[in-house]
Amino acid sequence: ATPTPGPDGPTHDLDESFTVGSGNEAIGYRIIDFYAADEIGSSANNDAADGTFLIVILELSNPRDNAVSFPNNNFLAWNEAQIRYIDDDATPKIGDDDRIDVQPIGTATVLSGSSKTGAVVFDLDTDQTYWLRINPTGDSGETHYVRVGPMSEIQRLQGSFT
């Protein structure tokens, strides 16, 4: 797929692998899927969204020579009016949610030459349209974007807590 011009950097589709940064500042990403939910977790341990939770399923790969931690502050939900950071309270609870079989990746460390799949969670406005904005962790490289689209059109997690 040819990247279409994005907000101010390369854009990518779901399931497309791309690298942000270069050399020993490079991190590989593949955004796999999006889900929306009003609450996340289990009946015993959950968070309710102020707006709507966006659950991002992704694969993080590490082409570097050393281990890399998930770059929380460089992985953003963005539109022209807002920048939103990962919800650090809701993200860990994704592992307790029986409606989706995925572990949180927000605090994960990925060893050199390995990859890890997991989820992060954003609390976003229900009536807004967003992009994922992925900034390089170092001084080199472009900011990359993946279109999320209107929150109202994201597939919702089915079922209720158990």
Side-chain angles (χ1 to χ4, degrees):
T2 309
T4 50
D8 63 2
T11 63
H12 305 281
D13 296 324
L14 284 181
D15 229 25
E16 180 184 338
S17 296
F18 58 96
T19 301
V20 177
S22 59
N24 248 5
E25 295 177 340
I27 299 179
Y29 296 90
R30 183 172 63 93
I31 309 301
I32 298 168
D33 218 343
F34 300 122
Y35 291 95
D38 294 324
E39 44 195 9
I40 283 179
S42 62
S43 53
N45 181 21
N46 61 73
D47 253 15
D50 294 329
T52 302
F53 284 131
L54 174 69
I55 302 158
V56 180
I57 315 288
L58 71 137
E59 179 184 40
L60 189 74
S61 56
N62 180 6
R64 304 180 187 189
D65 298 333
N66 49 357
V68 65
S69 297
F70 189 85
N72 279 2
N73 294 336
N74 293 296
F75 194 91
L76 311 167
W78 176 88
N79 63 30
E80 289 180 355
Q82 299 176 337
I83 291 179
R84 293 285 178 88
Y85 289 89
I86 290 169
D87 188 320
D88 291 329
D89 293 327
T91 292
K93 295 182 175 73
I94 197 78
D96 298 329
D97 200 311
D98 292 338
R99 298 172 297 172
I100 187 168
D101 182 21
V102 67
Q103 291 303 306
I105 199 174
T107 57
T109 298
V110 180
L111 299 177
S112 173
S114 311
S115 64
K116 195 170 274 193
T117 300
V120 294
V121 178
F122 294 94
D123 191 344
L124 302 178
D125 290 342
T126 308
D127 59 353
Q128 295 269 340
T129 297
Y130 291 93
W131 294 77
L132 291 181
R133 175 177 173 155
I134 305 161
N135 298 324
T137 55
D139 299 328
S140 68
E142 293 180 285
T143 296
H144 291 245
Y145 295 85
V146 176
R147 187 172 187 271
V148 176
M151 282 300 293
S152 58
E153 294 178 11
I154 303 293
Q155 60 186 332
R156 299 191 69 82
L157 281 188
Q158 298 302 314
S160 54
F161 292 143
T162 54

